[in-house]
Amino acid sequence: MTPPDGPTGQTEETLTDSETIRVLGARRSIRDFADRDVTDEQVTAILEAARRAPTSGNLQAYSVIVVRDPETKAKLAKIAGGQKHIETCPVYLAFVADLTRIETAFQRNGRDLDDNNLEMGLMASIDASLVGMAAYVAADSLGIQGVMIGAMRNDPEAVAEVLGLAQRTYVVFGLCLGYPAGQPKQKPRMPAEGVIHYERYDAAKAVGIVSPYNAQLKAHYDDINKPTDDDSWSADVDKKYAERPRDHLRAALKGRGFDFR
Ligand SMILES: Cc1cc2nc3c(=O)[nH]c(=O)nc-3n(C[C@H](O)[C@H](O)[C@H](O)COP(=O)(O)O)c2cc1C
C-alpha cells in the first residue's frame, strides 16, 4: 500500500534528515569504554551490514579479524605504541587488505601475484577501509562506538605475526569497539566551503580555510584543557609529519607481498 506521504515514505523533513545522517553527524572517536560487553550477535550484525559495502570490481579483497583475547589485544596495543583503548575495548576488529583469493584465481592459469602493483594494493586497501567505515557506522547505530587504529601500520610484520596473517595480507587499520564511558566534545571539522567544491576545484578556498580552522581547533583544545599552539592544526601536522611517517612501510608491505609500485 502507498504510504500517505508518498511512494517513498518521505516527508519534507525526511528529505534531508535521517537516522544515518544523525548518527554520522554526532560521530566522534571514543577511547574510554563502559564496563559492558558487546555480544557475538552484535558483532555478527555489524559485520553482516558492513559486508554490503561496495567493493572494487567485486574483488572483495579484504578480511576482518575479530579479536577479544586480552593477550592478543595487549600485544597489538604494544605495537600501536601503548594505546590502552586497544586493551580496554571489549572487541577489536582488524581490517585486512587481502590479495589471497585473487591469487587463487590467477593460479588456475599457472600465474601468481608476484607481479602485483600499486592499483592492486590500493583496491584491497580501499575495500578494507570501506568495510571498516561501514562497520563503524553500523556499530554506532547500535550505540556501540570506538576509534580506528592506524598504528597497526607501525609494524605490519609484527601485527601479521600476532594475528597469524597469510602472505599477501596486511592490516590497514584496526577498530576498537564498545559502549562509550562518556561522550567527549566533538572535534571541529574544517569549514565545508574549503573541503566541498562544486563542479570545479577551488585551490584558494581549499587552503583558505586553514587559518580560520586553526583558531577554531585552538578554541576546542582550550575548552577541553589540551595544550596547543596558536596555529593549532598547522603546528600539529608540521610536528607530526615533517619527518616522513612510517617510512619503512613500503618495504614492510613489499615483504608481505604488496608491491605498491
Ligand atoms: C585510518 C585512521 C586511523 C586512526 N588511527 C588512530 C590511532 O592509531 N589512535 C587513535 O587514538 N586515533 C586514531 N584515529 C582517530 C583520529 O585521531 C580521529 O578520527 C581524528 O582525530 C578526528 O577526531 P574524531 O574522530 O573524534 O572526530 C584514526 C582515524 C583514522 C580514520
Side-chain angles (χ1 to χ4, degrees), residues 62-248:
Y62 72 91
S63 292
V64 184
I65 305 178
V66 180
V67 180
R68 288 184 183 273
D69 180 50
E71 240 177 74
T72 307
K73 286 193 294 168
K75 286 179 188 164
L76 294 175
K78 195 168 169 210
I79 294 167
Q83 297 197 44
K84 277 283 162 207
H85 29 278
I86 300 177
E87 291 184 70
T88 55
C89 69
V91 183
Y92 186 73
L93 303 178
F95 294 94
V96 179
D98 187 337
L99 299 177
T100 59
R101 288 178 292 266
I102 299 173
E103 188 151 50
T104 64
F106 283 17
Q107 281 163 345
R108 290 159 52 259
N109 284 313
R111 292 195 306 270
D112 59 29
L113 263 180
D114 284 353
D115 196 26
N116 76 83
N117 67 357
L118 174 66
E119 174 63 0
M120 202 65 109
L122 278 181
M123 285 192 293
S125 305
I126 293 168
D127 271 12
S129 304
L130 294 178
V131 170
M133 185 62 198
Y136 197 122
V137 176
D140 203 337
S141 73
L142 302 176
I144 295 163
Q145 298 175 323
V147 61
M148 288 181 177
I149 303 293
M152 291 295 95
R153 299 189 307 277
N154 285 355
D155 190 343
E157 284 299 350
V159 170
E161 174 80 30
V162 171
L163 296 176
L165 291 189
Q167 186 67 353
R168 302 217 196 281
T169 69
Y170 85 96
V171 174
V172 184
F173 60 91
L175 175 58
C176 302
L177 283 181
Y179 284 92
Q183 289 293 332
K185 291 204 167 153
Q186 270 191 312
K187 199 181 279 182
R189 288 296 190 260
M190 291 185 180
E193 72 250 24
V195 181
I196 314 293
H197 304 254
Y198 294 92
E199 312 302 344
R200 283 177 68 81
Y201 181 79
D202 185 328
K205 278 190 178 167
V207 293
I209 58 172
V210 171
S211 173
Y213 184 62
N214 277 332
Q216 208 190 344
L217 193 62
K218 178 176 166 33
H220 167 73
Y221 284 142
D222 286 349
D223 192 31
I224 62 169
N225 295 317
K226 189 174 166 181
T228 189
D229 291 271
D230 280 346
D231 56 348
S232 181
W233 180 87
S234 298
D236 274 358
V237 169
D238 195 16
K239 266 182 233 157
K240 266 200 221 162
Y241 300 106
E243 285 212 2
R244 291 154 55 121
R246 296 182 185 130
D247 215 12
H248 66 290

